Amino acid sequence: MPRPKEFDEDQALDAAMRTFWVNGYEATSTEDLCRATGLGRSSIYNTFNSKHELFKRALVRYTELMTANQVALLEDEARPPGQRLRDLLDAIIAGEAEHRRDERGIGCLTVNTTVELAGRDREAAELVDRDQRRRLDALRAVIAAGLRDGEFRSGRDPAELARFVNAVIAGIRVAGQGGADIPTLKAIADTALDAL
């Protein structure tokens, strides 16, 4: 008769997610995951099958949590489109400030995964692409609303502007990892909003 699990799988997944987020996939060892989760090697493999499966589940969890919060900000029609975008950028910068380590941000797990794995790990690339489409759809919709309302004045297509804002967000994450301070990240966000 198999023994019942004696740990909270969601807590273990959250701990693994944080470890991959900080270290990346390749640099995270099974020992790192054991330390972070408090689980033994056999428990990790019995529950998650492999490091790669655990990583994919952690990436899905990350995108569900982060993207849901970001999309909620963008879809809040009680506020004007420009304020929704401002709130999104402020939330991203606040996250960068909150998750600093040694005066550097830890970035975004999806951006980090894109840089590290997307070109050689089809499954990771598909997860990142699916998440990106969801965020781009929400960005496009709020930008289109801002253009209709005259709040944004760019003559560019909302889908192009959504890709631009998404690239700015990734740039903010990478700049934070490079050691850019919070005022610098805010200046990047302000410039992006001015460009709309």
Side-chain angles (χ1 to χ4, degrees):
M1 179 185 236
R3 287 177 26 186
K5 290 181 188 171
E6 297 176 5
F7 63 91
D8 183 321
E9 195 170 313
D10 285 340
Q11 281 184 327
L13 190 56
D14 285 344
M17 177 184 75
R18 174 74 181 181
T19 304
F20 286 125
W21 187 4
V22 170
N23 299 327
Y25 176 74
E26 296 290 342
T28 298
S29 68
T30 303
E31 287 306 312
D32 293 331
L33 294 168
C34 289
R35 270 192 303 279
T37 62
L39 301 175
R41 184 180 291 266
S42 63
S43 292
I44 287 177
Y45 284 103
N46 288 337
T47 304
F48 301 106
N49 299 322
S50 69
K51 174 183 165 183
H52 193 258
E53 287 300 314
L54 175 54
F55 175 75
K56 288 191 310 183
R57 286 190 54 191
L59 181 59
V60 167
R61 186 163 180 85
Y62 178 89
T63 59
E64 287 172 351
L65 294 171
M66 295 298 185
T67 303
N69 291 336
Q70 292 175 10
V71 169
L73 288 171
L74 294 173
E75 292 179 344
D76 181 2
E77 294 183 6
R79 294 183 342 271
Q83 187 60 52
R84 288 186 256 165
L85 276 179
R86 164 60 66 196
D87 290 346
L88 172 66
L89 293 169
D90 286 349
I92 286 165
I93 292 167
E96 286 297 309
E98 178 185 345
H99 297 292
R100 286 202 157 225
R101 177 179 74 159
D102 301 326
E103 299 302 314
R104 295 178 182 276
I106 61 173
C108 165
L109 184 56
T110 54
V111 172
N112 298 349
T113 299
T114 299
V115 172
E116 182 182 9
L117 296 177
R120 57 191 168 88
D121 183 328
R122 182 185 52 77
E123 292 174 299
E126 288 172 0
L127 291 171
V128 169
D129 287 346
R130 183 176 66 206
D131 178 63
Q132 181 172 305
R133 283 192 304 273
R134 185 175 172 207
R135 283 182 286 108
L136 286 172
D137 286 346
L139 285 167
R140 183 194 45 72
V142 76
I143 290 168
L147 289 168
R148 272 192 313 273
D149 296 350
E151 193 172 357
F152 304 140
R153 292 185 172 80
S154 171
R156 300 190 81 80
D157 179 74
E160 292 174 2
L161 292 170
R163 287 189 293 275
F164 165 71
V165 172
N166 193 56
V168 167
I169 290 168
I172 286 171
R173 302 286 202 183
V174 172
Q177 284 180 298
D181 61 15
I182 300 306
T184 299
L185 301 182
K186 288 182 176 181
I188 294 168
D190 291 343
T191 303
L193 290 173
D194 288 348
L196 299 178

